[in-house]
Short mmCIF file of all heavy atoms in Angstrom, two decimals:
data_model
loop_
_atom_site.label_atom_id
_atom_site.label_comp_id
_atom_site.label_asym_id
_atom_site.label_seq_id
_atom_site.Cartn_x
_atom_site.Cartn_y
_atom_site.Cartn_z
N PHE C 54 27.12 16.61 18.30
CA PHE C 54 26.67 15.23 18.38
C PHE C 54 27.28 14.38 17.28
O PHE C 54 27.76 13.27 17.51
CB PHE C 54 25.14 15.23 18.18
CG PHE C 54 24.41 14.67 19.34
CD1 PHE C 54 24.43 15.34 20.55
CD2 PHE C 54 23.71 13.46 19.24
CE1 PHE C 54 23.74 14.82 21.63
CE2 PHE C 54 23.04 12.96 20.32
CZ PHE C 54 23.05 13.63 21.52
N ILE C 55 27.15 14.91 16.05
CA ILE C 55 27.67 14.13 14.91
C ILE C 55 29.17 13.93 15.04
O ILE C 55 29.69 12.86 14.75
CB ILE C 55 27.33 14.86 13.60
CG1 ILE C 55 25.82 14.78 13.35
CG2 ILE C 55 28.08 14.27 12.42
CD1 ILE C 55 25.36 15.57 12.16
N LYS C 56 29.85 14.97 15.52
CA LYS C 56 31.30 14.82 15.70
C LYS C 56 31.60 13.71 16.70
O LYS C 56 32.52 12.91 16.52
CB LYS C 56 31.92 16.15 16.11
CG LYS C 56 31.77 17.19 14.99
CD LYS C 56 32.66 18.40 15.17
CE LYS C 56 32.68 19.19 13.85
NZ LYS C 56 33.48 20.40 13.90
N VAL C 57 30.78 13.68 17.76
CA VAL C 57 30.96 12.60 18.75
C VAL C 57 30.66 11.26 18.09
O VAL C 57 31.43 10.29 18.25
CB VAL C 57 30.01 12.83 19.96
CG1 VAL C 57 30.06 11.63 20.88
CG2 VAL C 57 30.42 14.10 20.71
N ILE C 58 29.56 11.18 17.35
CA ILE C 58 29.22 9.93 16.68
C ILE C 58 30.37 9.48 15.78
O ILE C 58 30.77 8.31 15.80
CB ILE C 58 27.94 10.09 15.82
CG1 ILE C 58 26.71 10.32 16.70
CG2 ILE C 58 27.72 8.86 14.94
CD1 ILE C 58 25.47 10.66 15.92
N THR C 59 30.89 10.41 15.01
CA THR C 59 31.98 10.08 14.12
C THR C 59 33.16 9.54 14.91
O THR C 59 33.75 8.50 14.57
CB THR C 59 32.42 11.34 13.33
OG1 THR C 59 31.27 11.86 12.66
CG2 THR C 59 33.50 11.01 12.34
N PHE C 60 33.47 10.23 16.01
CA PHE C 60 34.59 9.80 16.84
C PHE C 60 34.32 8.41 17.39
O PHE C 60 35.15 7.50 17.26
CB PHE C 60 34.80 10.82 17.97
CG PHE C 60 35.93 10.47 18.86
CD1 PHE C 60 37.25 10.69 18.46
CD2 PHE C 60 35.71 9.91 20.11
CE1 PHE C 60 38.30 10.36 19.29
CE2 PHE C 60 36.76 9.56 20.94
CZ PHE C 60 38.05 9.79 20.53
N VAL C 61 33.12 8.27 17.98
CA VAL C 61 32.78 6.97 18.57
C VAL C 61 32.81 5.86 17.55
O VAL C 61 33.39 4.79 17.78
CB VAL C 61 31.37 7.04 19.23
CG1 VAL C 61 30.85 5.66 19.57
CG2 VAL C 61 31.40 7.92 20.45
N SER C 62 32.23 6.12 16.39
CA SER C 62 32.13 5.05 15.42
C SER C 62 33.51 4.73 14.86
O SER C 62 33.74 3.61 14.40
CB SER C 62 31.16 5.41 14.29
OG SER C 62 31.72 6.39 13.48
N ARG C 63 34.42 5.71 14.88
CA ARG C 63 35.77 5.39 14.44
C ARG C 63 36.48 4.51 15.45
O ARG C 63 37.20 3.60 15.07
CB ARG C 63 36.57 6.68 14.23
CG ARG C 63 36.24 7.25 12.88
CD ARG C 63 37.29 8.19 12.41
NE ARG C 63 36.81 8.79 11.16
CZ ARG C 63 37.12 9.99 10.76
NH1 ARG C 63 37.91 10.75 11.51
NH2 ARG C 63 36.66 10.46 9.64
N VAL C 64 36.23 4.83 16.70
CA VAL C 64 36.84 4.01 17.74
C VAL C 64 36.22 2.62 17.76
O VAL C 64 36.89 1.59 17.68
CB VAL C 64 36.66 4.68 19.14
CG1 VAL C 64 37.12 3.75 20.25
CG2 VAL C 64 37.45 5.99 19.18
N ALA C 65 34.87 2.61 17.80
CA ALA C 65 34.15 1.34 17.88
C ALA C 65 34.41 0.47 16.65
O ALA C 65 34.87 -0.67 16.75
CB ALA C 65 32.65 1.60 18.03
N GLY C 66 34.09 1.03 15.49
CA GLY C 66 34.17 0.22 14.29
C GLY C 66 35.45 0.46 13.56
O GLY C 66 35.49 0.47 12.32
N GLY C 67 36.54 0.70 14.32
CA GLY C 67 37.83 1.11 13.76
C GLY C 67 38.17 0.48 12.43
O GLY C 67 38.38 1.17 11.43
N LYS C 68 38.23 -0.84 12.43
CA LYS C 68 38.72 -1.49 11.21
C LYS C 68 37.72 -1.37 10.05
O LYS C 68 38.10 -1.47 8.88
CB LYS C 68 39.02 -2.96 11.49
CG LYS C 68 40.47 -3.18 11.87
CD LYS C 68 40.64 -3.15 13.38
CE LYS C 68 41.78 -2.25 13.79
NZ LYS C 68 41.88 -2.13 15.27
N GLU C 69 36.44 -1.26 10.42
CA GLU C 69 35.41 -1.20 9.39
C GLU C 69 35.74 -0.18 8.32
O GLU C 69 35.99 0.98 8.62
CB GLU C 69 34.08 -0.83 10.05
CG GLU C 69 32.87 -1.42 9.35
CD GLU C 69 31.60 -0.94 10.06
OE1 GLU C 69 31.50 -1.14 11.28
OE2 GLU C 69 30.75 -0.37 9.38
N LYS C 70 35.73 -0.61 7.11
CA LYS C 70 36.03 0.36 6.06
C LYS C 70 34.79 1.20 5.74
O LYS C 70 33.67 0.74 5.94
CB LYS C 70 36.57 -0.32 4.81
CG LYS C 70 35.61 -1.29 4.17
CD LYS C 70 36.18 -1.90 2.90
CE LYS C 70 35.18 -2.84 2.28
NZ LYS C 70 35.68 -3.49 1.06
N PRO C 71 35.00 2.41 5.26
CA PRO C 71 33.87 3.30 5.01
C PRO C 71 32.85 2.67 4.06
O PRO C 71 33.22 1.94 3.14
CB PRO C 71 34.50 4.54 4.38
CG PRO C 71 35.90 4.20 4.10
CD PRO C 71 36.27 3.03 4.93
N ALA C 72 31.61 2.96 4.33
CA ALA C 72 30.54 2.41 3.53
C ALA C 72 30.67 2.87 2.10
O ALA C 72 30.91 4.03 1.81
CB ALA C 72 29.19 2.85 4.08
N THR C 73 30.51 1.93 1.21
CA THR C 73 30.37 2.33 -0.19
C THR C 73 29.00 2.96 -0.34
O THR C 73 28.11 2.67 0.43
CB THR C 73 30.50 1.11 -1.10
OG1 THR C 73 29.53 0.17 -0.67
CG2 THR C 73 31.87 0.53 -1.03
N PRO C 74 28.85 3.82 -1.31
CA PRO C 74 27.53 4.45 -1.50
C PRO C 74 26.47 3.36 -1.58
O PRO C 74 26.69 2.31 -2.16
CB PRO C 74 27.66 5.17 -2.84
CG PRO C 74 29.09 5.13 -3.23
CD PRO C 74 29.85 4.26 -2.30
N ALA C 75 25.33 3.63 -0.97
CA ALA C 75 24.26 2.64 -0.91
C ALA C 75 23.87 2.19 -2.30
O ALA C 75 23.93 2.93 -3.28
CB ALA C 75 23.03 3.23 -0.22
N ALA C 76 23.50 0.94 -2.36
CA ALA C 76 23.15 0.33 -3.65
C ALA C 76 22.11 1.15 -4.40
O ALA C 76 22.17 1.33 -5.61
CB ALA C 76 22.63 -1.10 -3.43
N SER C 77 21.12 1.62 -3.66
CA SER C 77 20.04 2.34 -4.31
C SER C 77 20.55 3.63 -4.97
O SER C 77 20.06 4.04 -6.01
CB SER C 77 18.92 2.66 -3.32
OG SER C 77 19.46 3.43 -2.29
N ASP C 78 21.52 4.26 -4.34
CA ASP C 78 22.10 5.44 -4.96
C ASP C 78 22.74 5.10 -6.27
O ASP C 78 22.56 5.77 -7.26
CB ASP C 78 23.18 6.05 -4.04
CG ASP C 78 22.54 6.63 -2.79
OD1 ASP C 78 21.30 6.71 -2.78
OD2 ASP C 78 23.29 6.96 -1.87
N LYS C 79 23.48 4.02 -6.22
CA LYS C 79 24.14 3.59 -7.43
C LYS C 79 23.14 3.37 -8.53
O LYS C 79 23.28 3.88 -9.63
CB LYS C 79 24.84 2.24 -7.19
CG LYS C 79 26.28 2.38 -6.82
CD LYS C 79 26.88 1.00 -6.84
CE LYS C 79 28.00 0.89 -5.84
NZ LYS C 79 28.31 -0.50 -5.55
N LEU C 80 22.08 2.63 -8.20
CA LEU C 80 21.10 2.34 -9.21
C LEU C 80 20.55 3.64 -9.76
O LEU C 80 20.35 3.77 -10.97
CB LEU C 80 19.97 1.50 -8.60
CG LEU C 80 20.34 0.02 -8.50
CD1 LEU C 80 19.25 -0.72 -7.73
CD2 LEU C 80 20.50 -0.57 -9.88
N ALA C 81 20.27 4.57 -8.83
CA ALA C 81 19.70 5.85 -9.27
C ALA C 81 20.67 6.55 -10.22
O ALA C 81 20.30 7.06 -11.27
CB ALA C 81 19.40 6.72 -8.08
N ALA C 82 21.93 6.54 -9.81
CA ALA C 82 22.92 7.23 -10.60
C ALA C 82 23.05 6.65 -11.99
O ALA C 82 23.20 7.35 -12.99
CB ALA C 82 24.27 7.20 -9.90
N TYR C 83 22.94 5.36 -12.06
CA TYR C 83 23.10 4.69 -13.35
C TYR C 83 21.79 4.52 -14.07
O TYR C 83 21.74 3.88 -15.11
CB TYR C 83 23.70 3.29 -13.13
CG TYR C 83 25.15 3.29 -12.83
CD1 TYR C 83 25.63 2.90 -11.59
CD2 TYR C 83 26.06 3.67 -13.81
CE1 TYR C 83 26.98 2.89 -11.33
CE2 TYR C 83 27.42 3.64 -13.55
CZ TYR C 83 27.88 3.26 -12.31
OH TYR C 83 29.21 3.24 -12.05
N ALA C 84 20.75 5.08 -13.49
CA ALA C 84 19.40 4.75 -13.91
C ALA C 84 19.21 4.52 -15.40
O ALA C 84 18.92 3.42 -15.84
CB ALA C 84 18.43 5.80 -13.43
N LYS C 85 19.40 5.56 -16.19
CA LYS C 85 18.97 5.48 -17.57
C LYS C 85 19.75 4.52 -18.44
O LYS C 85 20.82 4.88 -18.98
CB LYS C 85 18.99 6.86 -18.19
CG LYS C 85 17.83 7.72 -17.75
CD LYS C 85 17.24 8.53 -18.90
CE LYS C 85 15.93 9.14 -18.50
NZ LYS C 85 15.37 9.93 -19.55
N GLY C 86 19.27 3.33 -18.57
CA GLY C 86 19.79 2.43 -19.59
C GLY C 86 21.23 1.98 -19.40
O GLY C 86 21.76 1.28 -20.24
N SER C 87 21.84 2.33 -18.31
CA SER C 87 23.19 1.83 -18.11
C SER C 87 23.11 0.56 -17.31
O SER C 87 22.05 0.11 -16.92
CB SER C 87 24.04 2.85 -17.38
OG SER C 87 23.74 2.84 -16.02
N CYS C 88 24.24 0.00 -16.97
CA CYS C 88 24.16 -1.32 -16.38
C CYS C 88 24.80 -1.42 -15.03
O CYS C 88 25.14 -2.50 -14.58
CB CYS C 88 24.81 -2.33 -17.29
SG CYS C 88 26.53 -1.97 -17.52
N GLY C 89 24.96 -0.31 -14.31
CA GLY C 89 25.58 -0.41 -13.01
C GLY C 89 27.03 -0.78 -13.15
O GLY C 89 27.59 -0.83 -14.25
N ASP C 90 27.65 -1.10 -12.01
CA ASP C 90 29.08 -1.39 -12.11
C ASP C 90 29.34 -2.90 -12.24
O ASP C 90 29.98 -3.52 -11.41
CB ASP C 90 29.80 -0.83 -10.89
CG ASP C 90 29.22 -1.40 -9.62
OD1 ASP C 90 28.12 -2.01 -9.68
OD2 ASP C 90 29.85 -1.28 -8.59
N VAL C 91 28.84 -3.46 -13.26
CA VAL C 91 29.03 -4.89 -13.50
C VAL C 91 30.45 -5.10 -13.95
O VAL C 91 30.98 -4.35 -14.77
CB VAL C 91 28.06 -5.34 -14.61
CG1 VAL C 91 28.14 -6.82 -14.78
CG2 VAL C 91 26.67 -4.91 -14.27
N LYS C 92 31.08 -6.10 -13.42
CA LYS C 92 32.44 -6.40 -13.85
C LYS C 92 32.50 -7.69 -14.62
O LYS C 92 31.77 -8.64 -14.35
CB LYS C 92 33.34 -6.43 -12.63
CG LYS C 92 33.52 -5.03 -12.07
CD LYS C 92 34.39 -5.03 -10.84
CE LYS C 92 34.41 -3.60 -10.27
NZ LYS C 92 35.02 -3.55 -8.95
N LEU C 93 33.37 -7.74 -15.57
CA LEU C 93 33.46 -8.91 -16.44
C LEU C 93 34.74 -9.69 -16.15
O LEU C 93 35.83 -9.15 -16.20
CB LEU C 93 33.51 -8.38 -17.89
CG LEU C 93 33.55 -9.37 -19.03
CD1 LEU C 93 32.15 -9.84 -19.35
CD2 LEU C 93 34.20 -8.71 -20.24
N HIS C 94 34.58 -10.93 -15.73
CA HIS C 94 35.76 -11.75 -15.46
C HIS C 94 35.58 -13.11 -16.04
O HIS C 94 34.46 -13.60 -16.15
CB HIS C 94 35.96 -11.92 -13.96
CG HIS C 94 36.15 -10.63 -13.25
ND1 HIS C 94 37.26 -9.85 -13.38
CD2 HIS C 94 35.33 -9.97 -12.38
CE1 HIS C 94 37.14 -8.78 -12.60
NE2 HIS C 94 35.95 -8.83 -12.00
N ASN C 95 36.69 -13.75 -16.36
CA ASN C 95 36.65 -15.16 -16.77
C ASN C 95 35.72 -15.43 -17.92
O ASN C 95 35.04 -16.44 -17.94
CB ASN C 95 36.22 -16.05 -15.58
CG ASN C 95 37.06 -15.78 -14.38
OD1 ASN C 95 38.22 -15.39 -14.50
ND2 ASN C 95 36.47 -16.00 -13.20
N VAL C 96 35.62 -14.49 -18.81
CA VAL C 96 34.78 -14.77 -19.94
C VAL C 96 35.51 -15.80 -20.77
O VAL C 96 36.61 -15.58 -21.22
CB VAL C 96 34.53 -13.50 -20.77
CG1 VAL C 96 33.56 -13.80 -21.86
CG2 VAL C 96 34.00 -12.42 -19.85
N PRO C 97 34.93 -16.98 -20.92
CA PRO C 97 35.68 -18.11 -21.42
C PRO C 97 35.96 -18.01 -22.92
O PRO C 97 36.84 -18.66 -23.42
CB PRO C 97 34.76 -19.30 -21.14
CG PRO C 97 33.40 -18.71 -21.10
CD PRO C 97 33.52 -17.29 -20.66
N ASP C 98 35.20 -17.25 -23.62
CA ASP C 98 35.31 -17.30 -25.07
C ASP C 98 35.07 -15.88 -25.59
O ASP C 98 34.05 -15.26 -25.33
CB ASP C 98 34.23 -18.26 -25.61
CG ASP C 98 34.39 -18.41 -27.11
OD1 ASP C 98 35.38 -17.88 -27.64
OD2 ASP C 98 33.53 -19.08 -27.70
N LYS C 99 36.02 -15.42 -26.37
CA LYS C 99 35.84 -14.08 -26.89
C LYS C 99 34.60 -13.96 -27.75
O LYS C 99 33.92 -12.95 -27.78
CB LYS C 99 37.08 -13.65 -27.68
CG LYS C 99 38.12 -13.01 -26.81
CD LYS C 99 38.94 -12.04 -27.61
CE LYS C 99 39.61 -11.05 -26.68
NZ LYS C 99 40.44 -10.10 -27.41
#
Side-chain angles (χ1 to χ4, degrees):
Chain C
F54 240 67
I55 290 175
K56 295 195 167 179
V57 172
I58 292 172
T59 304
F60 181 77
V61 167
S62 72
R63 278 200 185 149
V64 172
K68 268 93 228 175
E69 210 181 307
K70 62 178 181 182
T73 54
S77 59
D78 292 349
K79 265 190 211 162
L80 280 173
Y83 284 112
K85 284 221 168 179
S87 78
C88 62
D90 58 346
V91 186
K92 289 179 185 169
L93 182 84
H94 300 291
N95 307 332
V96 185
D98 185 5
K99 271 209 159 178

